Amino acid sequence: MNHLLQQIENYKQEINNCAITNADEVEAFRIKYLGTKGIVKSIMGFMKDVPNEQKKEAGQLLNEFKLFVEAKYESLKAVSSNNQDNTSTIDITLPGSPTLVGSRHPINLVRNKIVSIFQRLGFAIAEGPEIEDDWHNFGAMNLPEDHPARDMQDTFYIHQNPAWLLRTHTSSVQARVMENQKPPIRVICPGRVYRNETISARAHCFFHQVEGLYIDEKVSFADLKQTLYFFVQEMFGKDVKVRFRPSYFPFTEPSAEMDISCLICNNNGCNVCKHTGWVEILGSGMVHPKVLENFGIDSNKYTGFAFGMGVERICQLKYRVNDLRLYSQNDVRFLKQFTSVV
Ligand code: PHE
């Protein structure tokens, strides 16, 4: 019994003097004293040698020792976890690795902005196929075969069936709307279009358009002008000036191109506006009666206006992007600059 007492005393001293700082040493302490082959277990083994009349006292002693070791272990654990910064290779104070959030493509940002302006005026979105037939893209839009105006919009044809082509404008969607709906019609048609052009800074074999169509009784050219004027003010600010120039499109009569004052040089002349102070942003006009009749719409009762703009051009003026190819090269150094909502 005395021997047991002595041993416990020695271990207590050893424990009190031990210098432990890190988690590995704490674990070694646990294994040494509290492990299955540890000191506490082995001392417990002495109990069987203790005479019966001393068993109670010895049991108490051993139990106290066990509690003492356990308490010490808990306090060492707490100290070592506070010291972790010095000892562990993991720095828990470092910020986590950020989740990369992409940004919207500038074409989508600008398209969404255009669409939302016209939605506020009551225009609904209409979509249609990019692979079209000749009728919806050309014929119905008053561009019969052999018509020289087809040269303005040369496109790509599908080998297996030359009656199919890649649409050159989203006027083909207007055709599909007129085919399926009765006036009043008020739609905008955003989408990708294709033209057979050599790729350069100013031309590409595909680009994006938003076209619009409004058909009802008594729709006039004044409505067209006011609608488009509202659009440019919302898009570019109240100071922007507009002008209309007579133009020609087979599907509208009269037709006009709309220019806005050059935002880059403030109407003073620069290479974007070719030193005129004005940049063209869209084509427009009153829907040709023949187009209405193609879809069984009575042109004596109904009139309408239509317009079409290139999203890339609006984007160029909004963000000063001067090379069309940048939009489709997927260079993140270009794309990541467009994080804001327009
Ligand atoms: N569809 C014409 C184009 O691509 C644009 C336009 C639409 C012009 C509607 C007038 C009216 O290029």
Side-chain angles (χ1 to χ4, degrees):
M1 177 74 183
N2 279 345
H3 171 70
L4 187 64
L5 254 176
Q6 191 52 51
Q7 259 198 331
I8 289 177
E9 239 4 86
N10 290 348
Y11 281 131
K12 272 187 170 172
Q13 234 169 43
E14 186 181 296
I15 290 169
N16 281 333
N17 294 335
C18 75
I20 281 178
T21 47
N22 66 37
D24 289 347
E25 291 171 355
V26 175
E27 181 59 6
F29 176 94
R30 187 192 65 77
I31 294 167
K32 179 173 176 188
Y33 291 98
L34 296 167
T36 35
K37 291 182 181 155
I39 286 164
V40 171
K41 272 266 160 63
S42 78
I43 295 185
M44 293 287 189
F46 290 132
M47 271 296 275
K48 61 179 189 317
D49 302 324
V50 176
N52 272 353
E53 62 280 14
Q54 291 181 345
K55 271 213 171 18
K56 192 174 166 203
E57 200 189 337
Q60 258 171 10
L61 271 173
L62 284 171
N63 217 27
E64 260 172 39
F65 177 63
K66 187 174 170 231
L67 292 174
F68 168 80
V69 179
E70 281 172 352
K72 181 73 185 177
Y73 171 62
E74 289 302 322
S75 76
L76 288 172
K77 240 184 9 187
V79 171
S80 91
S81 73
N82 285 344
N83 286 344
Q84 212 169 35
D85 285 358
N86 308 329
T87 55
S88 166
T89 49
I90 299 167
D91 181 354
I92 57 163
T93 65
L94 278 177
S97 19
T99 309
L100 294 176
V101 180
S103 54
R104 286 196 196 283
H105 194 285
I107 294 296
N108 285 345
L109 281 175
V110 171
R111 185 208 48 206
N112 291 351
K113 173 84 178 173
I114 299 170
V115 165
S116 85
I117 294 170
F118 284 104
Q119 276 181 320
R120 275 188 277 143
L121 291 174
F123 284 77
I125 299 176
E127 288 183 321
E130 289 182 20
I131 301 175
E132 258 302 357
D133 53 49
D134 194 278
W135 169 249
H136 290 97
N137 194 78
F138 292 128
M141 301 316 282
N142 207 21
L143 273 150
E145 260 176 68
D146 311 327
H147 195 292
R150 281 204 181 192
D151 285 352
M152 288 165 25
Q153 300 190 4
D154 189 18
T155 188
F156 302 97
Y157 291 85
I158 312 288
H159 266 309
Q160 291 92 322
N161 185 349
W164 290 344
L165 48 87
L166 297 184
R167 69 183 179 192
T168 57
H169 50 184
T170 57
S171 299
S172 57
V173 182
Q174 300 185 12
R176 287 178 179 275
V177 171
M178 287 186 275
E179 198 170 59
N180 295 314
Q181 292 177 31
K182 300 246 157 307
I185 289 171
R186 211 187 289 160
V187 289
I188 36 165
C189 317
R192 179 177 279 197
V193 300
Y194 302 82
R195 299 213 183 155
N196 186 5
E197 283 178 28
T198 312
I199 298 169
S200 72
R202 304 176 69 87
H204 211 299
C205 57
F206 66 84
F207 62 99
H208 300 78
Q209 278 194 327
V210 177
E211 293 214 352
L213 174 70
Y214 180 25
I215 302 173
D216 202 348
E217 291 177 40
K218 301 195 183 76
V219 174
S220 73
F221 202 86
D223 297 319
L224 177 156
K225 284 180 84 172
Q226 192 53 42
T227 304
L228 295 178
Y229 187 49
F230 173 81
F231 162 71
V232 288
Q233 287 201 319
E234 290 296 302
M235 193 73 198
F236 297 110
K238 301 283 174 218
D239 296 333
V240 67
K241 294 195 273 291
V242 299
R243 74 175 188 188
F244 286 83
R245 277 179 297 106
S247 185
Y248 171 76
F249 299 102
F251 30 87
T252 48
E253 181 62 35
S255 305
E257 262 159 334
M258 189 174 87
D259 298 342
I260 60 167
S261 47
C262 181
L263 303 158
I264 291 166
C265 62
N266 239 334
N267 223 192
N268 289 322
C270 67
N271 56 359
V272 171
C273 62
K274 297 192 198 109
H275 303 282
T276 63
W278 296 94
V279 278
E280 182 202 321
I281 64 159
L282 54 81
S284 64
M286 301 306 291
V287 182
H288 197 293
K290 247 187 115 184
V291 173
L292 296 175
E293 299 297 341
N294 278 341
F295 297 101
I297 298 170
D298 182 354
S299 61
N300 292 316
K301 187 170 174 203
Y302 293 105
T303 49
F305 68 73
F307 56 88
M309 67 185 92
V311 181
E312 280 81 350
R313 166 48 68 91
I314 308 288
C315 200
Q316 173 191 31
L317 297 171
K318 192 92 195 160
Y319 288 129
R320 319 274 193 270
V321 178
N322 285 329
D323 191 328
L324 269 178
R325 291 167 291 194
L326 286 165
Y327 293 119
S328 52
Q329 280 168 345
N330 284 340
D331 186 334
V332 279
R333 288 169 302 178
F334 169 70
L335 295 172
K336 75 180 178 192
Q337 298 175 57
F338 303 91
T339 47
S340 63
V341 175
V342 200

